[in-house]
Amino acid sequence: MYHYFQLNKDEFMEHYHKRSNVESTNAAIKRKFGKTLKSKNQIAQVNELLAKIIAYNLTVVIHEMYENGIEPNFIHL
């Protein structure tokens, strides 16, 4: 791996940064919503995890809206 890293630093760092971003996001979700799932059933656990991910994504969007002064514009059809 050391030789691979030395010969392909750009490719290695591209993959490393993707992994780093995923790990940072997982840690943020656990900090905000807890480390455990409450559901016992596997299907319910998957749904609970997906709900946590959606909730986290919404918090990130709302945070960025306030940080950048973006006003939501909801169009009624």
Side-chain angles (χ1 to χ4, degrees), residues 72-77:
N73 183 10
F74 299 104
I75 299 173
H76 298 279
L77 297 176

Side-chain angles (χ1 to χ4, degrees), residues 1-35:
M1 287 308 293
Y2 177 75
H3 293 296
Y4 176 80
F5 171 71
Q6 290 298 323
L7 295 172
N8 304 293
K9 282 185 182 179
D10 290 338
E11 182 183 354
F12 183 87
M13 294 309 287
E14 179 182 331
H15 291 288
Y16 177 79
H17 289 303
K18 286 179 185 177
R19 177 180 173 213
S20 175
N21 287 341
V22 168
E23 289 182 11
S24 295
T25 302
N26 286 340
I29 291 171
K30 287 179 181 180
R31 273 193 312 274
K32 189 171 286 290
F33 300 109
K35 295 181 179 183

Side-chain angles (χ1 to χ4, degrees), residues 1 28 31 39 44 46 51 56 59 72-73:
M1 287 308 293
R31 273 193 312 274
S39 302
V46 169
Y56 176 74
T59 63
N73 183 10

Side-chain angles (χ1 to χ4, degrees), residues 33-48:
F33 300 109
K35 295 181 179 183
T36 60
L37 299 174
K38 308 296 184 213
S39 302
K40 303 295 181 199
N41 179 313
Q42 185 179 7
I43 293 172
Q45 287 177 341
V46 169
N47 289 335
E48 184 180 347

